[in-house]
Amino acid sequence: MIRRPPRSTQSRSSAASDVYKRQVYKGTKSKVRVTRMRICKTCKGKGCKPGAEAGICGNCKGKKIITKLVQLGPGMYSQSRGPCEECHGKGDTMSAEDRCKTCKGEKIQEEKKEFEVKVDPGVPDNHVYTFAGEGHEAVLWRCT
């Protein structure tokens, strides 16, 4: 039985920085700019402006996925699953005037951040520095 790691709301993002051999030999500090997706601070990931509520999609009933049956011939059907066409796989619907003005109803927005990385002396080539909690964020719940 294969066990999967727990689902996280953050994914990995990466950025590269050019550091020269002389700098690596002595150690240095390098600035790295990353663009990452973060939960909208205005609507707190709901997608609608404060005071407004998003409704559950009537087509998929908030499940984000619908099952389609297509008749190929007499007694033959094809079944396929895909994202809901009404809510575009989001599970909720809202009017255009109720959408958050900052994220435009997408629940997440781009954020640019600059990190200062301390490169240790003698670090190996293509070494990866990891910053916990600084990756992309995703909204994994349905707001009601």
Side-chain angles (χ1 to χ4, degrees):
M1 179 184 219
I2 298 173
R3 294 187 181 228
R4 293 184 182 177
R7 183 184 251 186
S8 173
T9 59
Q10 296 186 351
S11 65
R12 293 183 178 182
S13 63
S14 60
S17 177
D18 294 327
V19 180
Y20 299 103
K21 288 182 181 180
R22 184 180 305 124
Q23 293 173 319
V24 170
Y25 181 74
K26 294 181 179 180
T28 187
K29 289 183 180 179
S30 177
K31 290 187 178 181
V32 179
R33 284 188 176 161
V34 293
T35 302
R36 57 198 184 155
M37 300 306 288
R38 298 304 247 183
I39 293 174
C40 179
K41 292 178 180 139
T42 306
C43 65
K44 297 179 177 74
K46 290 185 177 180
C48 46
K49 62 184 177 183
E53 292 292 324
I56 296 174
C57 176
N59 192 27
C60 67
K61 310 289 188 268
K63 294 181 181 176
K64 304 177 185 179
I65 295 174
I66 57 170
T67 304
K68 294 181 184 178
L69 283 173
V70 178
Q71 187 173 7
L72 301 174
M76 292 176 29
Y77 292 91
S78 172
Q79 180 176 336
S80 62
R81 293 176 59 143
C84 178
E85 295 163 357
E86 283 186 28
C87 65
H88 305 287
K90 293 181 183 176
D92 52 20
T93 57
M94 67 188 87
S95 62
E97 58 267 359
D98 285 344
R99 288 195 177 112
C100 173
K101 302 297 180 204
T102 308
C103 66
K104 297 173 183 64
E106 294 295 318
K107 302 178 186 177
I108 55 174
Q109 64 185 43
E110 266 188 13
E111 178 185 82
K112 295 181 182 187
K113 187 169 182 180
E114 188 173 282
F115 293 99
E116 187 170 82
V117 181
K118 183 181 178 233
V119 180
D120 300 324
V123 73
D125 196 22
N126 294 327
H127 183 72
V128 177
Y129 288 94
T130 305
F131 298 95
E134 298 295 339
H136 297 299
E137 289 181 345
V139 179
L140 299 176
W141 65 86
R142 184 180 77 235
C143 65
T144 54

